[in-house]
Amino acid sequence: MKLQDALFNWLQMDIVAKKRPHDQAALDTLHFFTSMLAEDHRLTHIQTKEDSKQDDTYTITYELDGQQTHVRIDRVSAEQLWHDIESNPKYNE
């Protein structure tokens, strides 16, 4: 999986896991993508925050080979999975 795709998937699961802390499937999937980023792409110190300067993005920061970098991802796209889960009654019983 390409790095950009893996980061996007990781961010989606990070959002879902934070919004649904008792959702074991979300936590397991977040762990899967965290492991993928570490093992396949050699990323460390992966963190995310909602960008306070730009309300329409999330910023992911990470280190690769000792160099810190970041990527911004559109908020609407990043939160879509969470909204889809929340709108589906079978996941909210």
Side-chain angles (χ1 to χ4, degrees):
M1 180 179 293
K2 292 181 181 180
L3 176 58
Q4 185 68 24
D5 294 336
L7 284 169
F8 179 76
N9 291 333
W10 177 87
L11 176 59
Q12 284 192 311
M13 293 315 306
D14 185 61
I15 292 167
V16 171
K18 286 177 179 172
K19 302 282 188 182
R20 300 172 55 94
H22 302 293
D23 184 335
Q24 191 59 48
L27 296 171
D28 292 345
T29 306
L30 176 60
H31 177 73
F32 169 78
F33 283 112
T34 302
S35 295
M36 177 187 293
L37 289 170
E39 294 169 13
D40 296 352
H41 298 284
R42 302 181 336 268
L43 303 188
T44 60
H45 302 97
I46 307 163
Q47 298 178 341
T48 186
K49 68 176 183 167
E50 297 177 51
D51 195 332
S52 59
K53 293 181 182 177
Q54 294 184 345
D55 290 337
D56 58 344
T57 63
Y58 281 87
T59 301
I60 302 172
T61 60
Y62 59 89
E63 285 186 23
L64 175 60
D65 298 330
Q67 297 292 320
Q68 186 175 34
T69 190
H70 71 275
V71 61
R72 287 195 174 93
I73 296 179
D74 174 69
R75 173 186 298 278
V76 173
S77 298
E79 292 180 350
Q80 187 62 51
L81 177 63
W82 171 60
H83 290 296
D84 290 347
I85 290 169
E86 289 296 307
S87 68
N88 189 329
K90 89 177 188 183
Y91 298 116
N92 295 302
E93 298 173 350

